[in-house]
Amino acid sequence: MKASILFDSKTGNTKMAGEWIGKGMEEAGIEVKCFNISDVDKAWVKESDCVIIGSPTYIADVSGDMKKFLESLGGFGVAGKLGGAYATAQYDWGGGVIAIETMLRHMIVAGMMAYSSGGTESPVIHLGPVSVNGNHEDLFVQYGRRMAKQCLKVNG
């Protein structure tokens, strides 16, 4: 099975968080590739069983580049795929959850099946993980494991 992690990253934190998620997914046997939204391999995304999207937060929401990308998401053949979202922020109150809600909303409109594991496991990851100042590697790796487990369940 394949997964795509698509991100916008200005400082490297969002890219790093995506790589942490990929690490957790690879542990479960999922083949993962990470792409900056400015350089996405559309064919790989179309072949992927799972697509996870990440954004830094700006003004308590996704970046402008991510917003533009999300408006084109349907053109990447994502309908029916498992999807998840994550965010990075400078502050606990920096809008990470709002950014995740924006990405999940676009995924659902594009026909994706959004998943996060919610409150079913500990630690709880309600909508998706948020990294503050490049922290929380363990949480992101765990999120990757959970997404991989659900991907295998849905597509296995």
Side-chain angles (χ1 to χ4, degrees), residues 76-121:
F76 285 81
V78 297
K81 297 182 187 298
L82 184 66
Y86 70 97
T88 58
Q90 290 182 323
Y91 313 99
D92 288 333
W93 57 92
V97 171
I98 296 169
I100 290 171
E101 288 174 341
T102 296
M103 292 180 279
L104 293 174
R105 205 169 37 251
H106 280 270
M107 289 177 174
I108 291 167
V109 170
M112 295 182 73
M113 299 178 289
Y115 182 73
S116 70
S117 79
T120 63
E121 298 182 47

Side-chain angles (χ1 to χ4, degrees), residues 14-137:
T14 312
K15 176 184 180 187
M16 180 174 55
E19 290 169 350
W20 293 337
I21 293 168
K23 178 181 173 184
M25 295 187 85
E26 288 172 345
E27 289 175 5
I30 305 289
E31 190 177 357
V32 180
K33 287 191 181 180
C34 298
F35 302 100
N36 188 295
I37 57 172
S38 65
D39 190 28
V40 176
D41 181 340
K42 207 171 195 177
W44 181 269
V45 175
K46 286 183 178 184
E47 293 174 6
S48 293
D49 303 288
C50 178
V51 177
I52 299 172
I53 302 176
S55 179
T57 56
Y58 287 96
I59 313 173
D61 207 340
V62 297
S63 67
D65 290 337
M66 178 55 73
K67 174 71 169 131
K68 184 176 179 182
F69 176 78
L70 290 170
E71 291 174 358
S72 70
L73 187 59
F76 285 81
V78 297
K81 297 182 187 298
L82 184 66
Y86 70 97
T88 58
Q90 290 182 323
Y91 313 99
D92 288 333
W93 57 92
V97 171
I98 296 169
I100 290 171
E101 288 174 341
T102 296
M103 292 180 279
L104 293 174
R105 205 169 37 251
H106 280 270
M107 289 177 174
I108 291 167
V109 170
M112 295 182 73
M113 299 178 289
Y115 182 73
S116 70
S117 79
T120 63
E121 298 182 47
S122 183
V124 170
I125 304 174
H126 281 132
L127 298 175
V130 178
S131 173
V132 179
N133 287 318
N135 295 316
H136 312 297
E137 178 178 358

